[in-house]
Amino acid sequence: MSTNLTSETAAPTRVALVTGGSGGIGRAVVERLARDGFALGVHYSGNKAKADETVAAIVAGGGRAIAIGGDVAEERDMSAAFDAVEAEFGGIDVVVNTAGIMILSPIATMDLDELDRMLRTNVRGTFVVSQQAARRVRSGGAIVNFSTSVTRTQFPSYGGYVASKAAVESMTLILARELRGKDVTVNAVAPGPTATPLFLTGKDDVAIAGLAQAVPLQRLGQPTDIAETVAFLAGSARWINGQVIFTNGGLA
């Protein structure tokens, strides 16, 4: 008897939408999920060229992907983004919400307009995307939001950023319980110091080296390290739900 799968018996392609998928951790997640056979919606906010480049690389490697733009904090934009992915690939199984901004300042001197801008993207944006995901992700799927390990390490100057990510953690854990019975997992990944433009901007070599040495593995994380955790949550980790996964090399 032949063991070859026909088109009728082959497993359907799983589909993921990754916000902020054109650079840094987002691009690493896109590339990792593509290797697992996912069709990808690669979301971008302002840099269409980078998203198109990411899509082209996936397609050149035999995968399927489309680029979609929009403001994560705007309901219409995100509804249209989800519509586009569903129209192209037939549905959505995984949503990974890596989009975010980080503005560092002591609490005493932080510009409140900058705080509002960060909260809009990190809190409202995660809420809008999570809301769409809660309505649309298919049974057996996963929603993965992003926090930060600084919710535990409490580094000075991260007050506003941590406030936004603590909100992400809370809404993530509540959404996991609200989706009872739908067979959709909801978790957050909390990276430690990771070598991305978002993390490195504004830090000198001494500060970067100090953060690397604070980790027992004595190095910065790489975007691919974080992408491995996301791939696990998006794939076989069906018994992990309502959790914050600290992917930080042992940073305490």
Side-chain angles (χ1 to χ4, degrees):
M1 179 185 297
S2 172
T3 58
N4 291 334
L5 293 176
T6 67
S7 59
E8 289 76 23
T9 60
T13 299
R14 299 188 78 210
V15 179
L17 168 60
V18 181
T19 70
S22 62
I25 290 173
R27 178 160 182 167
V29 168
V30 165
E31 292 170 344
R32 181 64 178 80
L33 293 181
R35 291 201 301 275
D36 281 349
F38 278 82
L40 275 305
V42 181
H43 163 269
Y44 64 92
S45 177
N47 197 329
K48 184 177 186 300
K50 284 184 68 177
D52 288 341
E53 175 190 325
T54 302
V55 167
I58 292 170
V59 172
R64 301 171 65 196
I66 60 170
I68 47 216
D71 181 348
V72 290
E74 284 294 336
E75 181 182 11
R76 288 184 181 178
D77 286 6
M78 289 302 97
S79 179
F82 276 75
D83 286 346
V85 175
E86 289 175 335
E88 182 72 18
F89 301 124
I92 298 176
D93 301 288
V94 173
V95 172
V96 184
N97 192 24
T98 75
I101 60 176
M102 179 168 64
I103 302 168
L104 303 183
S105 170
I107 291 171
T109 56
M110 185 158 200
D111 184 309
L112 295 182
D113 288 337
E114 293 286 85
L115 176 65
D116 287 344
R117 182 165 72 90
M118 186 162 56
L119 293 175
R120 184 179 186 279
T121 296
N122 295 358
V123 180
R124 179 184 165 94
T126 298
F127 195 99
V128 168
V129 173
S130 294
Q131 186 176 69
Q132 290 293 324
R135 297 168 179 171
R136 304 198 195 209
V137 168
R138 295 185 287 205
S139 178
I143 301 168
V144 183
N145 289 325
F146 265 72
S147 181
T148 173
S149 287
V150 190
T151 56
R152 294 200 307 186
T153 58
Q154 292 102 36
F155 292 145
S157 80
Y158 280 77
Y161 181 65
V162 165
S164 73
K165 292 302 187 177
V168 168
E169 289 187 11
S170 295
M171 76 174 79
T172 298
L173 304 190
I174 289 171
L175 182 58
R177 287 146 181 85
E178 290 180 345
L179 294 185
R180 172 184 291 271
K182 293 191 174 183
D183 191 24
V184 173
T185 63
V186 189
N187 295 287
V189 175
T194 305
T196 66
L198 180 69
F199 172 79
L200 296 174
T201 298
K203 297 181 177 70
D204 60 24
D205 291 344
V206 173
I208 293 169
L211 287 165
Q213 289 302 307
V215 177
L217 295 178
Q218 295 184 311
R219 67 173 177 86
L220 295 181
Q222 296 300 315
T224 52
D225 293 320
I226 313 306
E228 288 297 329
T229 301
V230 174
F232 178 53
L233 294 173
S236 61
R238 301 307 303 163
W239 196 235
I240 298 177
N241 189 33
Q243 304 299 317
V244 180
I245 310 298
F246 288 86
T247 307
N248 61 20
L251 184 69

